[in-house]
Amino acid sequence: HAFRCQAEHEWAQDAIGAEGNRLIAGAQVLVVGLGAIGTAVAHRMTVLGARVIGLRRTVEEVTDGEWTTAPSRHLHELLPAADVVVIAAPHTRETRGIIGRRELALMSREAVLVNVSRGALVDEPALIDALRAGAIGGAALDVFDDEPLPPESVFWTLPNVLITPHTSGFRLDHWDAATALFADNLERFVTGQPLVNVVDKNAGY
């Protein structure tokens, strides 16, 4: 709303103020996938005062720590209470379409879906229907099934969607950091040391 009003040179204090600012503090945040990205999200949301539950495939029992960790099979029972759902899981056979019509129907009408993983994890036609119908509050999408997102995509015109062009993983020193990681791994390989950031080809990530 603020971005649209800015583009129209409109001082919309009354309209935006009437909607009320939603707080991260006290919100229930569900992070789907607790790898490096999901863990970083969970930590930062916790610091900002959110109540965080992180789902991961390899956990068998719910454990308490800085945030609550639960096995991914609890997704459906946790979706209804979530104010924010962050998708940070890798794209595998098991996670493709993990958020579909059933999952979107379980979410609160005020809930926001954030996807910084891969577009294939979300059923995009189902998400468009949910957003159009107001079945969920909105979505912040950095990734899509078809990239670049085609100009004719409905997502561009939905007022309750924030789009970024698959840039959430980039930073000012991105290529310096990537080059340093490569050089470190090359040295490790040449000297016979264990590599870092190794992909588990069986798990798919």
Side-chain angles (χ1 to χ4, degrees):
H1 193 162
F3 290 146
R4 292 195 301 274
C5 291
Q6 179 178 339
E8 296 167 5
H9 299 198
E10 178 185 352
W11 185 258
Q13 185 180 57
D14 290 340
I16 295 176
E19 293 177 359
N21 290 325
R22 297 179 58 178
L23 301 179
I24 294 176
Q28 181 71 61
V29 176
L30 180 62
V31 181
V32 181
L34 278 180
I37 295 171
T39 298
V41 170
H43 171 69
R44 284 158 177 76
M45 286 291 189
T46 301
V47 169
L48 291 170
R51 293 171 287 113
V52 177
I53 299 177
L55 296 181
R56 63 183 312 165
R57 179 178 59 87
T58 55
V59 169
E60 291 304 322
E61 296 180 2
V62 175
T63 56
D64 291 324
E66 186 179 6
W67 53 82
T68 301
T69 304
S72 55
R73 65 177 180 271
H74 289 206
L75 174 65
H76 287 171
E77 65 188 76
L78 294 171
L79 280 172
D83 299 301
V84 180
V85 178
V86 181
I87 307 300
H91 178 197
T92 66
R93 288 187 298 273
E94 292 76 23
T95 60
R96 184 174 183 84
I98 193 171
I99 300 296
R101 292 189 186 278
R102 180 183 179 190
E103 290 73 26
L104 291 163
L106 288 170
M107 291 172 62
S108 160
R109 295 183 69 86
E110 290 76 38
V112 174
L113 178 70
V114 179
N115 190 2
V116 292
S117 175
R118 292 292 185 268
L121 273 66
V122 177
D123 179 340
E124 291 186 351
L127 177 57
I128 288 171
D129 289 346
L131 290 164
R132 279 175 162 167
I136 66 171
L141 306 172
D142 186 57
V143 290
F144 299 87
D145 226 358
D146 188 8
E147 295 183 4
L149 186 65
E152 64 273 15
S153 172
V154 175
F155 281 120
W156 292 112
T157 61
L158 293 174
N160 49 354
V161 173
L162 176 64
I163 292 173
T164 51
H166 205 147
T167 54
S168 64
F170 284 83
R171 60 193 205 194
L172 290 176
D173 65 341
H174 178 83
W175 295 114
D176 291 338
T179 302
L181 175 61
F182 175 83
D184 179 39
N185 257 346
L186 179 59
E187 183 175 351
R188 287 170 176 268
F189 178 78
V190 170
T191 57
Q193 299 178 61
L195 304 182
V196 295
N197 252 22
V198 176
V199 172
D200 182 336
K201 294 180 181 179
N202 291 322
Y205 57 93

